[in-house]
Amino acid sequence: MTVRTAAPAPRVIAVVGPTAAGKSDLGVFLAQQLGGEVVNADSMQLYRGMDIGTAKLTLEERGGVPHHLLDIWDVTEPASVAEYQKLARAEIDRLLAEGRTPVLVGGSGLYVRGAIDVLEFPGTDPEVRARLERELEQDGPGALHRLLAEADPEAARVILPSNGRRIVRALEVIEITGKPFTANLPGHDSVYDTVQIGVDVGRPELDERITVRVDRMWEAGLVDEVRELEARGLREGRTASRALGYQQVLDVLAGECTEEDARVETVRATKRFARRQDSWFRRDPRVHWLGGAAEDRAELPHRALALVERAVTA
């Protein structure tokens, strides 16, 4: 595809929104048109071997566009937004220095903000972390989530009661800083000149896309992928083992549920996750929302390109 040169590209483009909305394809199109490269901002696509369940684009689907920050962590490594921030900014800075357009693509809201916004991460206290993790193991995430609700109701609202890792981190930050966890979240101060494009799909259609996607993942061999990753330590990975689809299939392999139960639960959990993603990005007034529904799909790439070019020339 011919690279357009009619208008200079903005410094950074970010394509955001809920899972299954069509972000990946749009990111490839914009990178092709603007002489850019994609920087991944999906926290689970950072893991090697987690391909089917995270809907990673194949090499063919990437259309010759280089993709960065895919497959960089083993499944045993815990996720770190602070580490991702360093890696993402290094890639963005390198691309800018080469005159390329960084196209950040993903639905992990905090990772997107960490890459492009002013965001400093509170440190960690090994003793506090160890104590909270012991409490998590002894009492379960529900008990710690109730503590979080008392200390920071807003954080408790956005962190699922089942997400023990995030609950522990939120309580650790509160104890270290003496401030609510949400007080440490970023404002809307950008590090880069960025145009953010949100892909907007109505709830009924998005729910149907999610159901179809999960069915296709099962047909493509998700169970076998998880079985292989289990042999490489997936079950011990504090972050990767909690990924949508992977957690449910691990339950199947442990004999705790049937494959059909796991598939149905993956669909349900993914729909709920998509709602949380949408809510996160809707709170950012800088995101320009463009329709990604079926009737808008043919026009979405061109509308996004026009938006980018308007932002550059304004």
Side-chain angles (χ1 to χ4, degrees):
M1 187 175 291
T2 303
V3 175
R4 294 176 61 127
T5 58
R11 291 183 64 78
V12 179
I13 301 168
V15 181
V16 302
T19 188
K23 300 184 299 297
S24 297
D25 290 341
L26 179 58
V28 168
F29 173 83
L30 290 173
Q32 289 173 328
Q33 294 294 296
L34 296 165
E37 301 182 13
V38 169
V39 179
N40 168 52
D42 180 313
S43 61
M44 294 304 162
Q45 291 193 6
L46 292 161
Y47 286 102
R48 280 186 286 272
M50 293 177 64
D51 302 330
I52 297 172
T54 66
K56 276 181 197 165
L57 295 183
T58 64
L59 288 176
E60 182 179 359
E61 290 169 336
R62 296 173 199 175
V65 173
H67 281 57
H68 306 284
L69 301 188
L70 294 172
D71 306 317
I72 63 171
W73 291 339
D74 290 329
V75 293
T76 54
E77 295 183 48
S80 167
V81 184
E83 178 63 19
Y84 170 80
Q85 181 185 65
K86 296 176 186 176
L87 296 171
R89 290 188 181 177
E91 290 292 349
I92 291 170
D93 292 343
R94 179 183 61 80
L95 290 170
L96 292 173
E98 295 174 358
R100 307 284 286 171
T101 300
V103 182
L104 195 69
V105 180
S108 298
L110 192 57
Y111 282 64
V112 173
R113 301 290 294 277
I116 63 176
D117 286 345
V118 175
L119 175 58
E120 296 183 2
F121 294 95
T124 186
D125 185 314
E127 292 185 5
V128 173
R129 172 66 65 88
R131 172 170 52 77
L132 289 169
E133 289 182 343
R134 285 196 301 270
E135 292 178 15
L136 175 65
E137 185 174 352
Q138 294 168 3
D139 304 329
L144 267 66
H145 193 268
R146 288 190 289 274
L147 293 177
L148 180 61
E150 294 174 5
D152 188 347
E154 177 63 17
R157 188 182 69 80
V158 299
I159 298 176
L160 291 176
S162 60
N163 195 333
R165 182 182 60 82
R166 287 198 66 196
I167 296 169
V168 164
R169 176 55 178 163
L171 289 171
E172 179 191 24
V173 169
I174 291 169
E175 189 164 338
I176 291 172
T177 65
K179 300 177 183 178
F181 178 69
T182 48
N184 293 281
L185 294 179
H188 295 138
D189 300 319
S190 301
V191 174
Y192 301 100
D193 177 16
T194 306
V195 175
Q196 296 192 57
I197 300 171
V199 185
D200 186 17
V201 179
R203 185 61 53 199
E205 181 177 342
L206 188 63
D207 284 350
E208 177 59 26
R209 288 191 194 183
I210 289 170
T211 300
V212 170
R213 173 179 281 191
V214 171
D215 287 343
R216 288 176 177 169
M217 287 175 177
W218 243 262
E219 294 168 1
L222 178 61
V223 174
D224 288 337
E225 179 174 278
V226 176
R227 185 178 287 111
E228 180 179 339
L229 290 171
E230 183 184 26
R232 290 159 50 185
L234 175 62
R235 196 174 291 276
E236 288 70 48
R238 287 189 298 168
T239 304
S241 66
R242 306 291 294 178
L244 292 168
Y246 295 87
Q247 178 181 358
Q248 287 75 20
V249 174
L250 284 173
D251 289 342
V252 173
L253 299 180
E256 297 175 4
C257 67
T258 66
E259 276 197 39
E260 179 59 20
D261 290 338
R263 189 194 64 78
V264 170
E265 173 58 21
T266 300
V267 171
R268 187 195 66 79
T270 304
K271 289 178 180 179
R272 183 175 62 181
F273 178 61
R275 286 167 171 77
R276 292 174 56 223
Q277 289 177 297
D278 190 70
S279 177
W280 171 282
F281 290 113
R282 294 283 178 186
R283 292 196 293 268
D284 192 333
R286 300 168 299 174
V287 176
H288 302 272
W289 290 94
L290 298 178
E295 62 269 21
D296 303 317
R297 196 173 301 173
E299 293 301 319
L300 173 63
H302 306 288
R303 291 179 63 201
L305 189 61
L307 172 65
V308 168
E309 293 177 339
R310 284 202 308 272
V312 172
T313 57

